[in-house]
Amino acid sequence: TRPPRFKDLGEHSIGIFIRELLQNSLDARFDDKSPVKIKIKIEDWDKEDIAGFFNLVGQDHLEKYSESYNYAITDVKPKMAAGQKLIKGEKKKTFALTIEENNCIGLTGSVKGIDRRSNFNSLIRKVDDNEAKKELSNSGGTWGKGSSVFVYSSELWMWFCYTLLSEPNNIDDGNFQHRRFIGRSILSPYYSQEIDKSYWGDGWFCKPDTDSFPYVNDEADSFAELFGLEKRSKEPGTTFFIPFFNTFLDSPNLGVVLKEFHDQILMNWYIPIYNEDLVILISDKKGEVYKIDKSYLFKIEQLKFKLEILDWYNNDCPPDENFIKETYDIEIPALKKDYINKNNLF
């Protein structure tokens, strides 16, 4: 059979990845008086980096991926080929992507399913067809992609997250959780004839001997450090780490990938940046490449007239021979009451 949301792979791109990431971060904004800050770091990985990462995750998962690849059905197997080449050492260059969001609430809520509105469970547990499951405001993300956008943006179908909660959580066992670390993966479901066992494809890098619960607090910090992530101690939010990042570009190199992130952000996200709701930093191993904030927008010639319209509108539309304000009545579908919040009420 096919893995969950396999059809999404045909739609994936850096633009779609950015769309899901930034909208979800804006929806999870913690302090409305400050912007959401996103740091995007893209790194080249060579065979030494790949081998080091494989040592971290262990051979068991890699062997399961290879088995899954060998048993995969016709249309799934080509999509797993890049991951299999990495495991076999046939692909020696790839990318790693780290995204650090700040001024967001973090992956709050129960990890055991005690509360239905758990941000943690909605992102970590669900990779199914959330487009038809909008009964909860945090189900599947604003665009219905959910965590599949992270899973399928890795050539090995895995990703990790490290979160600092805006409010400590003690709903599960009475012990306060401040920080959490967990990894998530998907395999193509298969049946192993050799050992007479079925694998449904869900995988977690998690605390041993639990029902896929995260490492918390000091343990979370330790694993974040092992994976090369900066310790979170101040602003709440989540750090996402995607090894073997699939750019979905024909001939990617680091410069092209950095520019694609830059261009997709400016093309579709200049309004929240202009309104100072969002600031984005894009960097590589050497440091900052772009800082995209309101002042940066005015350096972009293609945005000149759009920014003039925004300025005019934000100044209450004063008389101007270049602009005309007209009012239109538009009918739109109503949102369910439990989906309405401060970010989509207008």
Side-chain angles (χ1 to χ4, degrees):
T1 60
R2 295 176 182 84
R5 298 199 65 99
F6 179 72
K7 64 182 179 64
D8 283 355
L9 257 173
E11 305 171 356
H12 270 283
S13 64
I14 288 177
I16 286 178
F17 178 85
I18 285 291
R19 183 186 74 180
E20 187 75 21
L21 170 75
L22 296 186
Q23 188 60 65
N24 284 351
S25 294
L26 287 169
D27 287 346
R29 189 176 182 179
F30 177 58
D31 181 0
D32 289 340
K33 296 179 181 178
S34 299
V36 170
K37 289 166 280 185
I38 305 287
K39 298 178 182 178
I40 300 172
K41 184 178 181 181
I42 309 162
E43 302 175 82
D44 277 316
W45 267 11
D46 57 24
K47 60 181 181 181
E48 292 182 358
D49 299 307
I50 295 169
F53 179 83
F54 284 167
N55 286 335
L56 274 179
V57 297
Q59 286 299 310
D60 182 64
H61 179 76
L62 303 180
E63 291 171 1
K64 291 291 187 298
Y65 185 97
S66 293
E67 288 179 8
S68 175
Y69 170 79
N70 291 332
Y71 283 107
I73 61 177
T74 304
D75 60 338
V76 175
K77 200 164 193 173
K79 303 297 185 182
M80 300 181 71
Q84 180 68 356
K85 287 180 180 179
L86 285 163
I87 292 172
K88 295 179 70 175
E90 296 173 0
K91 185 174 182 180
K92 304 183 187 301
K93 294 286 186 180
T94 186
F95 298 100
L97 175 64
T98 305
I99 297 161
E100 179 186 311
E101 61 172 24
N102 288 292
N103 191 32
C104 295
I105 63 174
L107 297 181
T108 56
S110 169
V111 303
K112 296 182 178 180
I114 293 174
D115 56 337
R116 294 180 68 239
R117 291 182 177 274
S118 168
N119 288 307
F120 178 89
N121 279 339
S122 291
L123 190 65
I124 300 301
R125 309 285 187 207
K126 296 179 181 179
V127 192
D128 51 4
D129 190 2
N130 285 325
E131 290 176 78
K133 293 173 63 179
K134 285 294 186 179
E135 70 275 7
L136 296 179
S137 61
N138 56 8
S139 177
T142 300
W143 302 98
K145 298 293 182 188
S147 60
S148 76
V149 77
F150 295 108
V151 169
Y152 293 132
S153 289
S154 166
E155 290 179 322
L156 212 56
W157 292 1
M158 61 166 62
W159 60 283
F160 301 80
C161 63
Y162 169 50
T163 187
L164 173 62
L165 308 182
S166 53
E167 294 184 4
N169 179 291
N170 70 337
I171 191 173
D172 291 313
D173 54 16
N175 296 315
F176 281 102
Q177 297 181 8
H178 300 267
R179 298 172 303 283
R180 295 167 170 170
F181 181 94
I182 195 167
R184 185 75 166 95
S185 71
I186 289 291
L187 300 177
S188 181
Y190 69 98
Y191 167 71
S192 174
Q193 295 178 344
E194 288 83 355
I195 60 174
D196 189 27
K197 186 175 182 179
S198 295
Y199 293 91
W200 295 107
D202 290 306
W204 288 271
F205 185 94
C206 59
K207 195 172 180 65
D209 303 318
T210 68
D211 290 332
S212 61
F213 297 155
Y215 295 97
V216 301
N217 299 339
D218 290 345
E219 280 191 312
D221 297 339
S222 296
F223 276 98
E225 184 179 2
L226 279 175
F227 280 82
L229 309 180
E230 292 186 11
K231 181 178 179 180
R232 301 200 67 113
S233 59
K234 296 181 180 178
E235 286 195 80
T238 303
T239 302
F240 301 97
F241 175 58
I242 303 177
F244 317 113
F245 178 65
N246 190 343
T247 66
F248 298 96
L249 299 173
D250 292 333
S251 301
N253 60 54
L254 185 59
V256 170
V257 177
L258 289 166
K259 188 173 187 304
E260 181 68 9
F261 270 88
H262 168 270
D263 292 352
Q264 289 294 330
I265 290 166
L266 289 179
M267 190 183 308
N268 298 302
W269 296 93
Y270 65 90
I271 291 180
I273 295 170
Y274 172 88
N275 290 331
E276 297 183 284
D277 294 322
L278 181 64
V279 174
I280 301 172
L281 279 72
I282 305 176
S283 68
D284 56 17
K285 282 183 179 179
K286 297 178 182 178
E288 184 179 308
V289 178
Y290 304 106
K291 180 180 180 181
I292 305 177
D293 58 7
K294 183 175 182 177
S295 64
Y296 182 81
L297 298 181
F298 290 91
K299 301 176 184 179
I300 308 302
E301 182 65 25
Q302 295 91 329
L303 292 177
K304 176 181 177 182
F305 297 112
K306 294 178 179 179
L307 297 181
E308 286 182 0
I309 293 172
L310 288 172
D311 276 336
W312 175 73
Y313 180 80
N314 285 345
N315 288 322
D316 296 324
C317 307
D320 190 310
E321 62 181 12
N322 295 314
F323 303 112
I324 298 174
K325 182 181 178 181
E326 296 181 352
T327 301
Y328 295 89
D329 292 327
I330 301 174
E331 292 185 5
I332 60 173
L335 297 173
K336 289 185 177 181
K337 290 183 179 180
D338 63 359
Y339 186 71
I340 295 174
N341 59 42
K342 64 182 178 181
N343 295 313
N344 56 36
L345 182 63
F346 56 90

